[in-house]
Amino acid sequence: MLTQGAALAAPYAAMVMDARSGKVLHSRNADTQLHPASLTKMMTLYIAFEAVENGEISLDTLVTVSAKAASEPPSKLGLRRGQKIKLRYLIRAAAIKSANDAATAIGEAISGSEAAFARRMNRTARSMGMTRTHFKNAHGLTESGHLSTARDMTLLGRQLFYDYPQYYNLFSRLTANAGVKRVAHTNTRFLKSYRGSDGIKTGYTRAAGYNLVASAERGSERIITTVFGGRSVASRNAKVAELMDLGFRRAPTRVALRRPARPAYQGGGGSGPAEPPVGRTIRVVVAPTTSPRPIPRPVLDEVPATLIAELETSVAEALEEAVEPQSEATVAETPEARVAEADIIIATASAPRTTPTPQPRPATITLTALDIPQAKDAEPEIVTRMSTSGGRHWGVNVGIMTTRYQAERLLLKTALNELGTLDEALRKVVKRPDGWHANFVGLSEDGAELACRRLEARSASCKVIGPG
């Protein structure tokens, strides 16, 4: 039997939003409170990412499954009471398979109980401006008073995209290893059929109908569409595709990017922002937006294509002159993701020039351009750096992105923030079915583990890649 709230709620609601500006392009019943079903897990995952970022828990924390979590009805991963499983696998299961047992285990691991976690969900929702949402659980199964709106869920989807881009690729993976088994995406049909789609979350219960928050990117445009109350998977997907097309028609090609403000951190169990953990280092990186004349500063994310071409040519020529032909070492990764393609990434940075320390000449040379010339007529400077020696068959993966550009950008930013441990590593972008893998290779085992510890201390994702 449906609750009174479900009986009075409109059977259908929708919203279409330009993700870049937050402008609403279409809405219908967008503020009517309805059952969100598993769209709820977007908030569960948002808080999980937030907790990892703020050092409350790590992706490799072993979570002990409670009796409550193990007893949740399907969809589920099949967790057993007392079982221990890493948080990263629970996140994958909740995001991709929409596993209810995984969602409950996440909430209990972070807040101690699902009730406490639901209170944190509601505090975070209010801080985001989700004014007509009230959560009662971490999974979204029908419960009296557990309600949201198409507008609020669209806002939540936009926050996920902008606040945690390093995790956003989870929502477009068709399959993933969830520790105990490999899981398949609940929205494979739409992801495969609609051009540019890359997430975000499905939801279904009898009270809610078939719900979906979807995001798609074409060129410079990104649209987020939310539909509540679909009558079937097929009709819901068709409606979302129709609304997506409407959004792309109405969205301007160029628009000022207005990122949503980060909600106040709700960790620590209080009713407001909590203090960061003692001893934690907070590093704020601000990209310059203006520069004194007459010499403009180069912008890190907008390197001219002509300069990149010149640097690539210089690298090729330098390699031919400096290294005799030899076989290339094979970098082995985990069975979960095999290397399909590897490329040397030319990293550019506006860091001050320093004279490299002479080192013995090894078998492999990594080339890095350390400064884009300030003067217009100056030639780009190529600085050689020796890399890799015996026993350096380890590496680290720092993220899986949806585009090659994003992976290259992540490698560059990570290298600049962690020069002490990654200065000798070779940067590689690897394309696989689940996305573009950003890897640092050519490390010793101790070096790889140290790099991951330092990166995780900065709340960055990192996974050690072993030989063979």
Side-chain angles (χ1 to χ4, degrees):
M1 179 180 294
L2 300 183
T3 64
Q4 182 178 2
L8 298 176
Y12 170 81
M15 173 161 278
V16 181
M17 179 179 287
D18 187 328
R20 301 164 299 173
S21 64
K23 180 180 179 181
V24 175
L25 304 175
H26 168 82
S27 68
R28 181 175 174 187
N29 298 326
D31 294 311
T32 301
Q33 288 185 306
L34 300 167
H35 292 282
S38 284
L39 301 187
T40 299
K41 295 185 179 78
M42 290 195 296
M43 180 61 81
T44 300
L45 292 163
Y46 185 96
I47 294 175
F49 302 152
E50 179 185 61
V52 171
E53 179 182 61
N54 287 278
E56 298 178 60
I57 194 169
S58 84
L59 292 173
D60 290 318
T61 296
L62 284 174
V63 176
T64 302
V65 179
S66 70
K68 184 179 190 311
S71 65
E72 297 290 7
S75 174
K76 60 192 301 180
L77 185 58
L79 300 174
R80 303 182 308 278
R81 178 182 180 181
Q83 178 180 355
K84 295 184 182 296
I85 184 171
K86 289 184 177 181
L87 178 70
R88 67 172 69 247
Y89 295 132
L90 295 175
I91 287 175
R92 292 177 187 176
I96 297 170
K97 183 177 173 57
S98 196
N100 296 322
D101 51 357
T104 297
I106 290 171
E108 291 176 338
I110 294 172
S111 297
S113 69
E114 190 174 39
F117 188 73
R119 290 193 292 271
R120 177 166 174 174
M121 294 170 75
N122 289 322
R123 294 196 303 269
T124 304
R126 288 194 298 272
S127 187
M128 284 183 185
M130 298 170 62
T131 59
R132 294 183 60 77
T133 292
H134 186 75
F135 296 113
K136 289 290 195 73
N137 56 58
H139 41 66
L141 291 172
T142 303
E143 186 171 344
S144 178
H146 186 98
L147 300 169
S148 187
T149 68
R151 184 186 304 277
D152 283 357
M153 283 295 156
T154 305
L155 293 174
L156 176 55
R158 187 169 182 250
Q159 292 280 171
L160 268 172
F161 176 77
Y162 281 109
D163 292 354
Y164 295 103
Q166 68 269 39
Y167 298 114
Y168 185 75
N169 69 87
L170 276 171
F171 300 103
S172 60
R173 294 191 194 181
L174 299 182
T175 64
N177 176 14
V180 297
K181 63 181 177 181
R182 197 162 191 86
V183 294
H185 204 291
T186 58
N187 198 30
T188 301
R189 293 183 192 176
F190 188 79
L191 289 171
K192 286 185 174 181
S193 64
Y194 193 82
R195 181 169 61 88
S197 63
D198 54 14
I200 305 178
K201 192 73 192 72
T202 61
Y204 169 77
T205 62
R206 181 175 296 180
Y210 292 86
N211 299 348
L212 176 61
V213 177
S215 178
E217 182 178 38
R218 293 182 181 177
S220 62
E221 300 167 17
R222 175 171 288 276
I223 301 298
I224 298 177
T225 296
T226 298
V227 165
F228 275 64
R231 296 179 180 275
S232 67
V233 171
S235 65
R236 176 200 65 193
N237 289 355
K239 187 63 179 178
V240 171
E242 175 189 336
L243 293 175
M244 278 286 191
D245 290 343
L246 179 149
F248 281 116
R249 287 196 304 270
R250 293 185 179 179
T253 302
R254 295 184 179 181
V255 67
L257 176 62
R258 295 185 177 88
R259 295 174 181 270
R262 273 273 189 124
Y265 173 51
Q266 302 295 332
S271 59
E275 293 295 326
V278 176
R280 183 173 176 78
T281 300
I282 306 298
R283 174 173 293 185
V284 179
V285 180
V286 180
T289 57
T290 60
S291 59
R293 295 182 180 181
I295 302 175
R297 292 180 184 174
V299 179
L300 183 62
D301 295 332
E302 299 179 1
V303 181
T306 55
L307 180 55
I308 289 296
E310 291 174 4
L311 291 175
E312 290 175 338
T313 301
S314 299
V315 169
E317 292 174 354
L319 283 173
E320 291 177 357
E321 295 175 0
V323 186
E324 295 181 358
Q326 59 183 3
S327 61
E328 181 178 354
T330 301
V331 179
E333 298 188 316
T334 59
E336 179 185 350
R338 297 295 181 188
V339 175
E341 174 185 350
D343 300 290
I344 296 177
I345 306 305
I346 302 173
T348 59
S350 55
R353 283 194 180 92
T354 58
T355 303
T357 303
Q359 300 177 18
R361 178 175 177 178
T364 306
I365 293 179
T366 303
L367 300 177
T368 306
L370 286 182
D371 202 305
I372 297 176
Q374 299 292 320
K376 293 182 179 179
D377 298 331
E379 293 295 329
E381 178 184 357
I382 304 299
V383 180
T384 62
R385 182 180 72 222
M386 300 300 182
S387 170
T388 72
S389 59
R392 292 178 176 271
H393 304 303
W394 293 73
V396 297
N397 172 269
V398 295
I400 304 173
M401 313 306 288
T402 55
T403 68
R404 177 171 182 158
Y405 168 75
Q406 291 173 343
E408 292 175 352
R409 180 180 176 187
L410 175 60
L411 281 173
L412 176 57
K413 290 187 175 181
T414 303
L416 292 176
N417 286 331
E418 198 54 56
L419 286 173
T421 52
L422 295 175
D423 187 51
E424 295 300 319
L426 176 67
R427 293 181 281 281
K428 287 189 176 182
V429 172
V430 180
K431 184 179 182 182
R432 301 196 200 120
D434 60 348
W436 295 86
H437 289 233
N439 297 336
F440 289 91
V441 298
L443 295 167
S444 66
E445 180 178 3
D446 290 341
E449 291 178 350
L450 174 61
C452 269
R453 287 197 300 270
R454 291 174 65 96
L455 288 170
E456 288 174 349
R458 300 174 185 272
S459 299
S461 174
C462 184
K463 178 181 179 182
V464 174
I465 302 171

